[in-house]
Amino acid sequence: MRLKTEARRQLILQEAAKAFQSVGYEKTSMSEIALRVGGSKATLYNYFPSKEVLFVAVMDFVCRDAFEAAFALLTHERPLKDVLEDLGVHYLQTLMRPELVATRRMAENEGDASEVGRLLYENGPKRGWTLVAGFLQESMARGQLPQTDPWIAALHLKALYEAEHTEQRLLGVITEVSEADLRAAVARGLAVWSRAYGVA
């Protein structure tokens, strides 16, 4: 029964993701999602008590695996510069994917809607970049980085990763960026970050 329940939950998330991405959050109703899934609205509410909660779950469903793969690159078994460069490239490649671009646009558009913005932040960017901050803190303990606020350092790193291409991608100015261009942009951003934080 548990497997069937989990399978049903996954189906709801898949269909809700399609609905949100095709017509947006506001125009998507729980009735529409229930219709797509092939069940009652009451059953849908048994899994997700509100559209807000479902929306946040969909964002997590769409983004989690891709970003977890990026943050899984954090290891002390390789030189710090190499790890941060590969993290940046993988992170940006994920961020540039069409489904992630659509998801981010939608999330930013709904950010002020009641608790949606806070829930998305807590379950998305904050969680991922807390892992980076923890990695940087460990690097400080190992003497690879000067002592500083690891959370601020992680946010500065994130901003520099995203500096050259992310805004253009979100606004539709560009539709894709080659790995070579991403790697060059990450290298430039990482060079600025390294100078600012006194990394050799």
Side-chain angles (χ1 to χ4, degrees):
M1 185 69 178
R2 176 178 167 77
L3 289 176
K4 184 177 180 182
T5 300
E6 181 57 26
R8 187 72 173 171
R9 184 179 185 277
Q10 292 298 307
L11 177 62
I12 292 169
L13 291 172
Q14 289 169 8
E15 292 303 321
K18 292 176 188 175
F20 286 137
Q21 289 178 3
S22 62
V23 299
Y25 176 82
E26 283 298 328
K27 293 181 180 178
T28 301
S29 67
M30 293 294 267
S31 297
E32 167 66 18
I33 294 168
L35 187 64
R36 284 171 175 257
V37 172
S40 69
K41 205 160 63 163
T43 301
L44 187 58
Y45 279 114
N46 283 335
Y47 287 89
F48 302 98
S50 70
K51 189 168 81 165
E52 289 178 2
V53 172
L54 175 56
F55 183 64
V56 172
V58 165
M59 297 299 101
D60 183 67
F61 172 73
V62 172
C63 302
R64 173 178 284 197
D65 288 348
F67 284 119
E68 282 188 353
F71 295 125
L73 295 170
L74 299 172
T75 173
H76 292 289
E77 296 175 2
R78 300 170 57 218
L80 179 63
K81 180 179 178 294
D82 293 348
V83 170
L84 295 181
E85 184 173 310
D86 286 346
L87 170 68
V89 172
H90 195 111
Y91 172 72
L92 287 177
Q93 285 176 327
T94 300
L95 213 57
M96 299 288 166
R97 285 166 41 183
E99 67 271 26
L100 271 294
V101 171
T103 297
R104 184 164 175 176
R105 286 171 180 157
M106 188 166 41
E108 290 182 356
N109 187 56
E110 299 305 324
D112 286 334
S114 63
E115 286 290 288
V116 168
R118 184 187 65 79
L119 289 170
L120 288 171
Y121 176 71
E122 295 288 340
N123 289 281
K126 184 176 181 181
R127 186 170 62 190
W129 288 94
T130 294
L131 294 176
V132 178
F135 174 77
L136 295 179
Q137 189 167 34
E138 291 171 6
S139 299
M140 292 171 200
R142 290 166 172 260
Q144 297 171 300
L145 280 172
Q147 290 295 323
T148 188
D149 185 323
W151 175 244
I152 299 300
L155 293 182
H156 287 166
L157 184 61
K158 176 179 181 291
L160 286 164
Y161 282 158
E162 296 188 27
E164 293 189 32
H165 297 108
T166 303
E167 184 176 53
Q168 293 180 69
R169 181 69 179 94
L170 287 172
L171 294 176
V173 177
I174 55 175
T175 56
E176 59 183 32
V177 185
S178 70
E179 180 175 344
D181 285 344
L182 287 180
R183 192 165 291 279
V186 166
R188 286 188 290 269
L190 194 52
V192 173
W193 186 85
S194 297
R195 286 196 297 272
Y197 282 92
V199 183

